[in-house]
Amino acid sequence: MTLSPRPGLLDITPYKPGASAPKGAIKLSSNENALGASEKAAEAFRNAGDKLHLYPDGGASKLREAIGQEEGIDPARIVCGAGSDELLQLIGRAYLEPGDKVVQNEYGFLVYRLVALQCGAELVSAKETNYRADVDTLLEAAGTDAKIVFLANPNNPTGTYIPEREVRRLRENLPEDTLLVLDSAYTEFVDEPDYTSGMALVDEYANTVVTRTFSKIHGLAGVRLGWMYGPAEIVDVIHRVRGPFNVNLPAIEAGTAAIRDRAFMAKSKAHNDQWLAFLQQQIGGLGYEVTPSVCNFVLVHFPDEPGRSAADADRFLQQRGLVVRPLQPYGLPNALRITVGDEDANRRVVEALAAFAGT
Ligand SMILES: *Cc1c(COP(=O)(O)O)cnc(C)c1O
């Protein structure tokens, strides 16, 4: 007899990470930090090598204390996870039952789909306007019975954000018992005055949580570390469903050093400000439509014409040692997502696209 997994699991297309770069090539496919990681975090990670025989502190207290201090929030209302990925999965595991409705924006982060399908929930995607989440369509999709609404703000792969007043309008018009998950993975890169990371909304409204990551501004994607801030009751539930040692010891050490290294964060932000503007301006100058981004990547649109398409551009870039992200799985077959790299990488991308445009 064959063994059957839970209904719906075989409908899942496993997440396909950004392609790894062959030797000598430059990886701009996963929105990793162009400057690497904080040297202090790397040193803390290396020092953890002396303690590999020990179980980690299951509550990651030291890390939560450090995050609480830096963010000015109560450490008791933080849960850490193996990447924000794990926290998103745990939220699904804790709250979703088969048949429940989960809502996301049209080009929402693919992990939300995985979470919904793993739990047998129904995923509804709300149309966007100009590659931006649309609160009206989100509310319409949610109706009176959505269990969870996921909103990455700013969003990956589009790079766009919706302003604080729109996030508030969403929260205020959702049913109170709909869980709103604000995924603020790129929040540290944003300084638009009308933007909010959503942290204050967690305190002001019921059933609102924010997820954050060490993978982007802190450059610790390989460590797998993220955290969630939420109301006490939700935090309590997530603690019940997480593994007792879900965050490993080197991750706790590296994360604690990273969150305290404000100088490295500032350096990463300044680098991104400079080179995000460069990429948008230069690639836009070649005649391509570039969706305005507040993240550490750009979304570039290509004409749907043989020889000039996103797939052609992707091949052309690959031949020049540049690995970027094709977006068929997101329903954006005519676009490529390109991570902000170091100076050399960014200049090579622009030169390659100029050559491609001229071919
Ligand atoms: C990169 C990213 C994350 C981070 O995921 P981790 O599991 O913490 O590495 C979360 N959400 C979005 C939208 C992202 O792009």
Side-chain angles (χ1 to χ4, degrees):
M1 279 257 292
T2 51
L3 186 61
S4 301
R6 289 214 321 268
L9 292 190
L10 295 179
D11 299 335
I12 295 174
T13 311
Y15 183 81
K16 193 165 169 273
S20 53
K23 206 167 163 33
I26 298 175
K27 186 180 179 208
L28 301 170
S29 56
S30 297
N31 303 342
E32 291 145 337
N33 193 314
L35 303 182
S38 143
E39 189 40 51
K40 289 181 178 148
E43 191 189 335
F45 185 89
R46 283 191 295 271
N47 290 341
D50 295 338
K51 300 187 208 154
L52 296 184
H53 58 297
L54 299 175
Y55 277 99
D57 164 18
S61 309
K62 170 169 150 178
L63 175 58
R64 287 187 299 104
E65 292 288 336
I67 296 169
Q69 246 175 30
E70 295 299 336
E71 293 279 333
I73 56 174
D74 180 2
R77 285 172 47 204
I78 297 170
V79 189
C80 297
S84 42
D85 255 22
E86 187 194 21
L87 294 162
L88 296 167
Q89 313 267 0
L90 291 174
I91 289 167
R93 189 192 295 175
Y95 290 100
L96 292 176
E97 290 180 62
D100 277 350
K101 181 159 79 180
V102 172
V103 173
Q104 66 159 8
N105 44 306
E106 186 175 4
Y107 305 116
F109 188 43
L110 275 181
V111 170
Y112 313 146
R113 173 179 300 276
L114 293 178
V115 168
L117 294 179
Q118 281 166 10
C119 298
E122 181 207 352
L123 182 77
V124 182
S125 295
K127 280 272 175 233
E128 299 190 11
T129 308
N130 292 329
Y131 303 103
R132 217 166 69 125
D134 183 322
V135 169
D136 292 316
T137 60
L138 284 167
L139 286 170
E140 194 177 290
T144 56
D145 60 346
K147 188 59 98 45
I148 302 180
V149 174
F150 286 107
L151 177 67
N153 198 33
N155 185 52
N156 169 20
T158 54
T160 58
Y161 76 102
I162 61 170
E164 173 167 10
R165 61 173 189 281
E166 284 292 282
V167 183
R168 285 183 183 276
R169 186 163 75 86
L170 174 63
R171 176 66 274 183
E172 284 168 8
N173 288 284
L174 284 173
E176 199 181 68
D177 62 354
T178 296
L179 175 60
L180 175 60
V181 179
L182 297 170
D183 176 345
S184 299
Y186 298 93
T187 197
E188 298 90 347
F189 292 111
V190 188
D191 42 24
E192 266 63 12
D194 62 353
Y195 169 79
T196 180
S197 66
M199 301 293 285
L201 277 63
V202 172
D203 297 335
E204 288 176 50
Y205 302 97
N207 300 327
T208 305
V209 303
V210 169
T211 58
R212 304 277 296 267
T213 183
F214 281 88
S215 300
K216 306 288 156 60
I217 194 95
H218 300 290
L220 293 179
V223 162
R224 309 307 303 129
L225 189 61
W227 54 280
M228 184 197 97
Y229 178 59
E233 318 81 69
I234 295 180
V235 163
D236 173 68
V237 170
I238 301 302
H239 277 306
R240 290 168 198 262
V241 294
R242 72 174 174 85
F245 303 105
N246 63 324
V247 179
N248 69 66
L249 187 148
I252 293 173
E253 296 298 332
T256 305
I259 197 91
R260 296 226 149 98
D261 192 349
R262 306 319 269 189
F264 178 77
M265 293 172 70
K267 197 168 137 195
S268 297
K269 169 75 165 62
H271 175 88
N272 199 62
D273 286 348
Q274 178 182 356
W275 293 103
L276 175 68
F278 172 85
L279 287 177
Q280 301 201 116
Q281 189 190 28
Q282 297 288 315
I283 298 172
L286 297 172
Y288 293 111
E289 188 197 332
V290 183
T291 299
S293 169
V294 293
C295 296
N296 68 340
F297 58 85
V298 289
L299 182 70
V300 184
H301 303 269
F302 294 83
D304 188 12
E305 290 167 23
R308 321 211 59 83
S309 71
D312 293 313
D314 186 29
R315 270 191 297 276
F316 191 91
L317 290 170
Q318 264 182 53
Q319 284 159 6
R320 279 155 187 77
L322 297 163
V323 180
V324 303
R325 185 67 156 258
L327 296 171
Q328 285 92 344
Y330 281 93
L332 291 166
N334 299 320
L336 295 176
R337 192 192 68 195
I338 306 176
T339 305
V340 174
D342 64 15
E343 173 170 356
D344 171 59
N346 300 327
R347 293 195 187 282
R348 279 172 62 175
V349 163
V350 170
E351 279 160 28
L353 285 176
F356 177 72
T359 56

